[in-house]
Amino acid sequence: MKAKRILFITQEITPFVPETTISKISRALPQAAQENGAEVRIFTPKWGIINIRRNQLHEVIRLSGMNLIIDDTDHPLIIRVASLQSSRSIQVYFIENDDYFQNRLMTFDEQGVEYPDNDERAIFFARGVLEAVKKQSWCPDIIHCHGWISALVPLYIKSAYKEEPSFRDSKVIFSLYDDEHNIKEPLPEGFLKKVLHKDMTMELLEGISEPTTYEDLAKLAIKYSDGVIENGENIPASLIEYAQSLGKKVLTKQSAEEYNSACVDFFKNIQE
């Protein structure tokens, strides 16, 4: 395939977390891409439900140790890595931080209440991934984002990180999922100001309101992506229409049997 290096940035991936639509796609699609000749790497949060010892996660010392400043507070970044069991050559890297991920579930707590700092978790995760990839001196041709927590990645790649050699030529794809995979509560006031990094300005966030809903986040991701993939039966038509109005390439919902091959073809198409 034309895309030789593909970076998958995902909210969740099996077998490290329970099976969901996102976690299963995030496991199967990278392997399909690898089997079509791509070099693949995967980044995901090190959620508190992921057992380090059982899953054989190892800290990557050369990537860990930096602090990310969010809202004037330093937050240490730890990177761990594990290999997928049935494909030892695919590495899964985990973004870890005690404040945002340790001793927690995923999007919401045991009572089903969404964490009040989900906004900062998304910022930390997006910037943590990009800083780690920079340190690896690895230049992905395609960056494929899955889930609400990855929604800021396209914005950062096309603004704060646009001159970085690792991302200068990257094409970005954002996958849309049904509601059960998304945040339900709006992110708190002040989120957009926290998003700003390096020389970014509020003009980049034009049209996004506060408090910021999932649909706002998705529109932000679509705006700064090169392509969009529809991964669900109930994706709001407004999001697909928004992508099309901006001239983005869109891969509409595919059958389970055709999904991987359609995505691999889409990766080729997005570079043309």
Side-chain angles (χ1 to χ4, degrees), residues 24-25 28-29 32 35-36 231 233 251-265:
K24 289 189 290 185
I25 285 175
L29 182 55
E35 290 169 356
N36 275 271
N231 283 345
E233 302 289 347
L251 178 63
T252 54
K253 182 73 172 71
Q254 302 290 307
S255 68
E257 295 76 20
E258 299 294 329
Y259 180 80
N260 287 341
S261 61
C263 285
V264 169
D265 288 341

Side-chain angles (χ1 to χ4, degrees), residues 132-269:
V133 174
K134 273 176 51 183
K135 276 197 170 185
Q136 291 176 323
S137 298
W138 194 67
C139 304
D141 300 302
I142 299 286
I143 299 173
H144 189 181
C145 303
H146 300 256
W148 69 266
I149 204 167
S150 72
L152 295 175
V153 170
L155 166 68
Y156 282 134
I157 289 174
K158 299 299 175 71
S159 58
Y161 291 81
K162 66 181 179 182
E163 298 301 328
E164 295 291 345
S166 290
F167 310 115
R168 194 177 294 149
D169 299 318
S170 300
K171 298 293 185 180
V172 187
I173 298 170
F174 186 69
S175 276
L176 297 166
Y177 287 87
D178 287 337
D179 277 351
E180 65 263 28
H181 303 291
N182 306 325
I183 54 172
K184 309 297 188 298
E185 298 297 325
L187 298 176
E189 295 281 351
F191 164 64
L192 296 181
K193 184 178 179 182
K194 293 178 188 177
V195 166
L196 300 182
H197 181 50
K198 296 184 178 179
D199 58 354
M200 292 173 65
T201 66
M202 289 298 289
E203 291 179 359
L204 294 165
L205 307 174
E206 186 178 356
I208 306 302
S209 61
E210 287 193 316
T212 305
T213 64
Y214 168 74
E215 189 159 335
D216 290 324
L217 265 186
K219 284 186 173 180
L220 190 63
I222 291 167
K223 180 178 179 179
Y224 291 100
S225 292
D226 299 286
V228 175
I229 297 178
E230 186 178 10
N231 283 345
E233 302 289 347
N234 300 300
I235 306 300
S238 59
L239 293 179
I240 302 300
E241 291 166 2
Y242 179 69
Q244 293 169 337
S245 74
L246 296 177
K248 306 297 182 181
K249 295 182 178 180
V250 177
L251 178 63
T252 54
K253 182 73 172 71
Q254 302 290 307
S255 68
E257 295 76 20
E258 299 294 329
Y259 180 80
N260 287 341
S261 61
C263 285
V264 169
D265 288 341
F266 192 65
F267 294 157
K268 299 174 187 175
N269 179 258

